[in-house]
Amino acid sequence: MESVSSFISLKTPQLFYTIAGAFKTLPGLWKDEQIASHAKVTERVHAAGGKIAAQLYHAGRETTSEITEVQPIAPSAVKEQSMSEIPRELTIEEIHELVEQFGDAAERAKKAGFDAVEMHGAHGYLIGAFVSPLSNLRHDKYGGSITNRARFAVEILQNIRKKCGEEFPVIYRMSTVEYAHGGLAIEEAKTVAMILEDAGIDAIHCSQGIYVSTHAIIPSSIVPRAAYVDNAAAIKSVVDIPVIAVGRINDPRIAESVIVSGKADLVAMGRASLADPMLPKKTAEGREDEIIRCIGCVQGCVGEHVTGRYTRCLVNPVTGMLDEYDLTPTKAPKTVLVIGGGISGCETAIAAALKGHKVTLAEKTGKLGGQWVQASIPIGKSEFTSLINWQTNELRRLGVEIRMNILDDKKLIEKTNPDILVAATGSRPIIPSIPGSSKAHVKTAHEVLNGDVPVGKHAVVIGGGLIGAETADWMAEQGAKVTMIEMLPEIVKDGEHTPNKYLKERLAEYQVDIYTSTEVTEIRDDCVIARKGENCIEISDVDMVVMAVGVEKALPEDKIFDSFQGRVIYVGDARTVKNGFKNMLEAFETGLKID
């Protein structure tokens, strides 16, 4: 791949997250005292042969007073649809002050050793809010025409040039399309790009969306790869400076395609870099099988960040925590036997092998992955299989002995007599005690997704969590009439925001009947009886009932595990049922702690 060195990520774990405006866990350059800590970052990047840009932004109306302790500010007093507060309109004097502050921050970035700065004019933040016709309703020189709305950005650029010099690179990040009613669209975005090029910007970084359209800012696995690259191509058609594309570009060959096609000059790979910072190097060295690939699950990055915790990654537990984990090989290696080849068992085995232990992994079926195989089947989740591929390759690379089709755990345990026995036996579907639940036409979501049973003509899915909703979606896409029943007032409460949006849209498109706050009271041969409050509901002409109310831990039944007291460790769902991110993290840390 000749262009491998041409694609870069302009973000680092220390500086990256586009949804960070509403949180306190973000580094700053608003005072001189912050220069020294940033200098340590740039020194490390330069020592590794890299370049690094500081992304400068003001959250504007995309935050709350709970975070900032003051009323949010914006070009106009217009509330962002997804936020809770009406911002205060800036005065001319305040705008001038902010222009100076952006320039001061850029100067500090240069002193800290950054190789460039990026003005963040995307995602509804303050600079982008001035540019957008949705959020800028001013009647002075900063509002109205496109030229006026872009004035704030141009003045910031001029101030940076004055303080940092003409040779210091400045990039502008913009939402080419805001995907919000009345928001910035591509033709106006092209005009803004031309204005900034005339003002002397060095490159345009083409993102998309604002907070109300976060699904476009941080697209999940349901969104096609490089889905927004044509927006970058439109910008590239009107400027001569480098154009950077971003958005679900998580594979080196996709990145290469974008560059070779001429739609962009560079690509930014944010989440792909969180999953594997060594992606470009591994690609250049022909080690693509070793790449830990972003799967677009948004569990570790967005899911953790929105709770106020650190940005992490489901497929790479080390992300953001490299200095927190001791990966030094042990001086006293042990024999470790892991029972269960789901992602938790595999990750425990990988971590233990990294520490230098002699590890054997036993799986009762003929393939690894466990329930992650079913998790990869719903619409838009096929990339989840790349985690299984990587774990399989990594197990082999580390010399882990993999034993498949092991039906007799006791015999293997007695033969191996391990120092440490790891039970990663996963979970099993919960079958609630509903009258009729044992009838022949009652199946589990796992059986449906595995293809073990044909999809019926009219199926009732009991359970509206993520498993139930995804199974209903899958069957509806197969042509079935589907009814979903959930006891809670809301469906998919255990899912992530962005995937949920698309999932609910498809359920509506497929005309899936959804009953919430409803309890199934009986399953009959051709109908299901349920109760919603005081009302009795009868769903007729049903030829399939699917249980999807959740799972429970599946503990080993063999008594030999009891004899390993003090030497047996439970991981994954066998310890507590949880999502993929938490299982992977627990499994990795468990493997590292074996001593």
Side-chain angles (χ1 to χ4, degrees):
M1 293 187 182
E2 288 138 6
S3 301
V4 163
S5 62
S6 297
F7 68 85
I8 60 172
S9 169
L10 297 176
K11 312 176 191 70
T12 69
Q14 291 86 356
L15 293 176
F16 171 68
Y17 221 71
T18 51
I19 198 169
F23 300 92
K24 293 182 178 181
T25 53
L26 192 70
L29 279 167
W30 61 79
K31 57 183 179 180
D32 290 346
E33 289 78 6
Q34 295 166 322
I35 295 174
S37 58
H38 283 281
K40 294 178 182 178
V41 175
T42 60
E43 287 168 7
R44 293 176 69 176
V45 172
H46 293 152
K51 301 289 185 181
I52 181 169
Q55 190 181 78
L56 307 178
Y57 94 123
H58 188 298
R61 65 180 192 159
E62 303 285 26
T63 189
T64 67
S65 58
E66 183 180 350
I67 300 298
T68 63
E69 299 181 0
V70 295
Q71 183 181 3
I73 58 174
S76 302
V78 178
K79 187 177 83 70
E80 209 272 14
Q81 297 96 309
S82 66
M83 303 305 290
S84 60
E85 297 178 51
I86 298 174
R88 177 177 62 80
E89 181 175 306
L90 287 163
T91 65
I92 293 288
E93 292 73 19
E94 288 173 324
I95 293 172
H96 292 167
E97 183 180 0
L98 282 162
V99 167
E100 293 291 336
Q101 290 173 342
F102 267 98
D104 292 343
E107 187 175 16
R108 293 186 191 103
K110 184 177 181 181
K111 290 179 179 178
F114 285 95
D115 301 288
V117 293
E118 180 175 80
M119 296 166 51
H120 201 332
H123 307 162
Y125 297 142
L126 188 60
I127 301 176
F130 269 89
V131 172
S132 173
L134 178 63
S135 46
N136 186 345
L137 305 180
R138 300 179 72 94
H139 304 289
D140 54 26
K141 67 177 183 178
Y142 291 99
S145 69
I146 300 177
T147 300
N148 280 356
R149 298 202 313 266
R151 190 183 303 278
F152 184 52
V154 170
E155 289 182 354
I156 290 172
L157 172 60
Q158 292 170 341
N159 198 274
I160 292 173
R161 291 285 184 224
K162 181 176 70 174
K163 293 171 179 174
C164 297
E166 294 295 325
E167 301 303 316
F168 188 64
V170 184
I171 305 158
Y172 183 75
R173 191 176 202 200
M174 67 186 306
S175 284
T176 54
V177 180
E178 290 187 326
Y179 297 105
H181 296 301
L184 194 71
I186 193 64
E187 289 304 320
E188 279 200 325
K190 287 159 65 175
T191 304
V192 172
M194 293 168 67
I195 290 171
L196 286 164
E197 181 181 33
D198 289 342
I201 204 74
D202 293 300
I204 301 287
H205 183 180
C206 299
S207 189
Q208 51 279 322
I210 59 176
Y211 271 26
V212 76
S213 52
T214 300
H215 60 277
I217 301 175
I218 314 165
S220 67
S221 61
I222 187 61
V223 177
R225 289 172 172 174
Y228 303 104
V229 72
D230 285 341
N231 292 343
I235 299 299
K236 184 170 170 58
S237 71
V238 297
V239 298
D240 294 322
I241 54 178
V243 169
I244 306 164
V246 72
R248 281 279 287 146
I249 305 173
N250 62 358
D251 183 278
R253 294 189 180 273
I254 296 291
E256 182 77 358
S257 173
V258 170
I259 295 169
V260 171
S261 70
K263 292 186 176 182
D265 301 291
L266 306 99
V267 303
M269 303 176 75
R271 283 177 292 164
S273 297
L274 290 175
D276 194 339
M278 301 303 289
L279 182 151
K281 181 176 174 63
K282 290 178 180 178
T283 303
E285 295 176 355
R287 298 187 289 133
E288 286 188 56
D289 285 347
E290 295 180 30
I291 293 173
I292 310 172
R293 298 174 185 271
C294 168
I295 60 175
C297 67
V298 298
Q299 285 187 25
C301 50
V302 183
E304 285 298 287
H305 194 82
V306 297
T307 64
R309 294 188 287 268
Y310 295 109
T311 296
R312 304 295 296 271
C313 180
L314 183 153
V315 297
N316 189 351
V318 176
T319 293
M321 303 292 286
L322 185 59
D323 292 336
E324 306 300 321
Y325 292 128
D326 181 8
L327 302 179
T328 306
T330 180
K331 294 181 180 179
K334 291 181 169 55
T335 58
V336 179
L337 175 60
V338 180
I339 303 295
I343 61 169
S344 294
C346 289
E347 196 66 18
T348 304
I350 288 169
L354 282 171
K355 292 292 288 185
H357 299 295
K358 179 177 173 54
V359 184
T360 299
L361 175 69
E363 165 57 34
K364 67 180 179 180
T365 69
K367 57 186 177 182
L368 299 177
Q371 293 190 39
W372 199 252
V373 174
Q374 287 91 44
S376 305
I377 293 171
I379 296 169
K381 298 179 76 172
S382 63
E383 288 177 58
F384 281 37
T385 58
S386 66
L387 173 58
I388 301 173
N389 292 339
W390 178 82
Q391 286 187 325
T392 302
N393 290 332
E394 191 70 358
L395 288 166
R396 290 170 178 160
R397 188 182 72 83
L398 293 169
V400 174
E401 181 183 359
I402 303 173
R403 304 286 298 275
M404 308 297 288
N405 299 302
I406 300 298
L407 300 178
D408 189 344
D409 291 339
K410 179 179 179 181
K411 184 176 180 181
L412 178 62
I413 293 169
E414 290 175 341
K415 181 179 179 180
T416 307
N417 190 27
D419 297 313
I420 299 294
L421 179 61
V422 178
T425 46
S427 57
R428 58 185 169 224
I430 295 172
I431 306 299
S433 56
I434 300 170
S437 61
S438 61
K439 290 182 178 292
H441 68 300
V442 178
K443 307 297 180 181
T444 67
H446 293 75
E447 290 175 306
V448 172
L449 293 175
N450 271 337
D452 296 334
V453 294
V455 174
K457 293 181 179 179
H458 182 189
V460 171
V461 176
I462 301 177
L466 185 60
I467 294 175
E470 287 187 334
T471 305
D473 181 36
W474 173 257
M475 290 192 295
E477 196 273 337
Q478 299 291 315
K481 167 63 180 173
V482 182
T483 300
M484 184 164 59
I485 301 175
E486 168 58 41
M487 293 182 65
L488 297 176
E490 182 182 345
I491 64 170
V492 287
K493 288 197 68 174
D494 53 340
E496 302 295 337
H497 171 75
T498 300
N500 278 1
K501 172 189 182 299
Y502 292 105
L503 177 55
K504 290 178 179 179
E505 286 177 356
R506 290 195 306 277
L507 292 173
E509 178 186 347
Y510 294 140
Q511 298 181 328
V512 172
D513 292 329
I514 300 174
Y515 292 89
T516 56
S517 302
T518 303
E519 181 181 3
V520 175
T521 57
E522 184 181 0
I523 300 170
R524 298 177 182 173
D525 290 337
D526 61 352
C527 70
V528 171
I529 308 301
R531 180 170 296 280
K532 183 179 177 70
E534 299 299 320
N535 299 318
C536 182
I537 301 168
E538 180 175 327
I539 303 166
S540 304
D541 300 321
V542 174
D543 61 355
M544 186 179 203
V545 176
V546 180
M547 291 294 186
V549 298
V551 295
E552 59 186 359
K553 58 185 179 182
L555 295 177
E557 296 179 359
D558 204 309
K559 296 298 183 182
I560 194 170
F561 280 79
D562 297 336
S563 66
F564 270 77
Q565 288 186 9
R567 290 190 290 160
V568 63
I569 302 171
Y570 293 89
V571 298
D573 282 353
R575 178 180 288 182
T576 55
V577 173
K578 47 198 172 298
N579 68 11
F581 165 74
K582 292 177 181 177
N583 270 330
M584 283 284 288
L585 181 60
E586 176 189 88
F588 181 76
E589 292 181 345
T590 296
L592 289 187
K593 290 176 182 176
I594 292 175
D595 56 20

